[in-house]
Amino acid sequence: MLYSEKVMDHFRNPRNVGEIPDADGVGEVGNAKCGDIMKMYLKIDDGVITDVKFETFGCGSAIATSSMATELIKGKRVEEAIQLSNQAVVEALDGLPAYKLHCSVLAEEAVKAAVKDYYDKNGIAYDPDLLCGGDCESCHEHDEQ
Ligand code: FES
């Protein structure tokens, strides 16, 4: 089968979909490759992500990876959340077809963008390199596959 059961499960029944009106950090990113958009909302209490929701105009793989990513970062500290790589999310989903891997980058970038927004709003200093995997759209064009 092309998609793992976990991917199908998170695609059909995505967790944490929606918006958080009083979010402490909001990140919106676009995938240069397909034009899909992802918005991530974080509620942060004392450096801990107490709630997370996402909205996406993206494909099924983007929905499944975002759903899994929200589950993986909920309850974590922000410093841990930004360490979450798209590879880790893909592994947690038991893999994605190679040509769909770029979709998983959207979730990772959206988490980082939301944390950056939280840091900026609260005047918290951070190392910009930590919030950039080096392949986000603001630095380069996507060329991974
Ligand atoms: Fe655009 Fe998957 S095809 S995120």
Short mmCIF file of all heavy atoms in Angstrom, two decimals, residues 31 34 36 59 62 100 102-103 106, ligand 1:
data_model
loop_
_atom_site.label_atom_id
_atom_site.label_comp_id
_atom_site.label_asym_id
_atom_site.label_seq_id
_atom_site.Cartn_x
_atom_site.Cartn_y
_atom_site.Cartn_z
N ASN A 31 4.21 26.20 0.96
CA ASN A 31 5.11 25.28 0.29
C ASN A 31 5.33 25.79 -1.13
O ASN A 31 4.41 25.84 -1.94
CB ASN A 31 4.47 23.89 0.27
CG ASN A 31 5.45 22.82 -0.15
OD1 ASN A 31 6.26 23.04 -1.05
ND2 ASN A 31 5.39 21.68 0.48
N CYS A 34 4.21 23.35 -4.14
CA CYS A 34 2.83 23.06 -4.57
C CYS A 34 1.88 24.21 -4.29
O CYS A 34 0.74 24.17 -4.71
CB CYS A 34 2.33 21.81 -3.85
SG CYS A 34 2.35 22.05 -2.07
N ASP A 36 0.68 24.99 -1.39
CA ASP A 36 -0.17 24.74 -0.24
C ASP A 36 0.25 25.59 0.96
O ASP A 36 1.41 25.98 1.08
CB ASP A 36 -0.12 23.25 0.15
CG ASP A 36 -0.84 22.40 -0.88
OD1 ASP A 36 -1.58 22.97 -1.67
OD2 ASP A 36 -0.65 21.18 -0.87
N CYS A 59 -2.50 19.10 0.92
CA CYS A 59 -2.89 17.77 0.48
C CYS A 59 -3.03 16.83 1.68
O CYS A 59 -2.73 17.20 2.82
CB CYS A 59 -1.82 17.22 -0.45
SG CYS A 59 -0.31 16.86 0.43
N ALA A 62 0.04 16.49 3.83
CA ALA A 62 0.27 17.67 4.68
C ALA A 62 -0.63 17.62 5.90
O ALA A 62 -0.21 17.94 7.01
CB ALA A 62 0.03 18.95 3.88
N LYS A 100 6.15 12.51 -1.69
CA LYS A 100 5.29 13.28 -0.78
C LYS A 100 6.07 13.83 0.41
O LYS A 100 5.50 14.48 1.28
CB LYS A 100 4.15 12.38 -0.27
CG LYS A 100 3.13 12.07 -1.32
CD LYS A 100 1.99 13.06 -1.26
CE LYS A 100 1.85 13.92 -2.44
NZ LYS A 100 0.87 14.97 -2.31
N HIS A 102 8.09 16.25 0.65
CA HIS A 102 8.10 17.71 0.76
C HIS A 102 6.89 18.23 1.54
O HIS A 102 6.95 19.30 2.12
CB HIS A 102 8.18 18.37 -0.63
CG HIS A 102 6.89 18.32 -1.39
ND1 HIS A 102 6.56 17.29 -2.22
CD2 HIS A 102 5.85 19.18 -1.43
CE1 HIS A 102 5.36 17.52 -2.76
NE2 HIS A 102 4.91 18.66 -2.29
N CYS A 103 5.81 17.47 1.54
CA CYS A 103 4.61 17.90 2.26
C CYS A 103 4.87 17.95 3.76
O CYS A 103 4.27 18.77 4.47
CB CYS A 103 3.46 16.95 1.99
SG CYS A 103 3.22 16.59 0.24
N LEU A 106 6.23 21.22 5.53
CA LEU A 106 5.29 22.29 5.87
C LEU A 106 5.01 22.31 7.39
O LEU A 106 4.98 23.38 8.00
CB LEU A 106 4.00 22.03 5.10
CG LEU A 106 3.17 23.19 4.58
CD1 LEU A 106 4.00 24.20 3.83
CD2 LEU A 106 2.05 22.67 3.69
FE1 FES B 1 1.34 20.42 -1.25
FE2 FES B 1 1.47 18.06 -0.23
S1 FES B 1 1.21 18.52 -2.32
S2 FES B 1 1.69 19.92 0.79
#
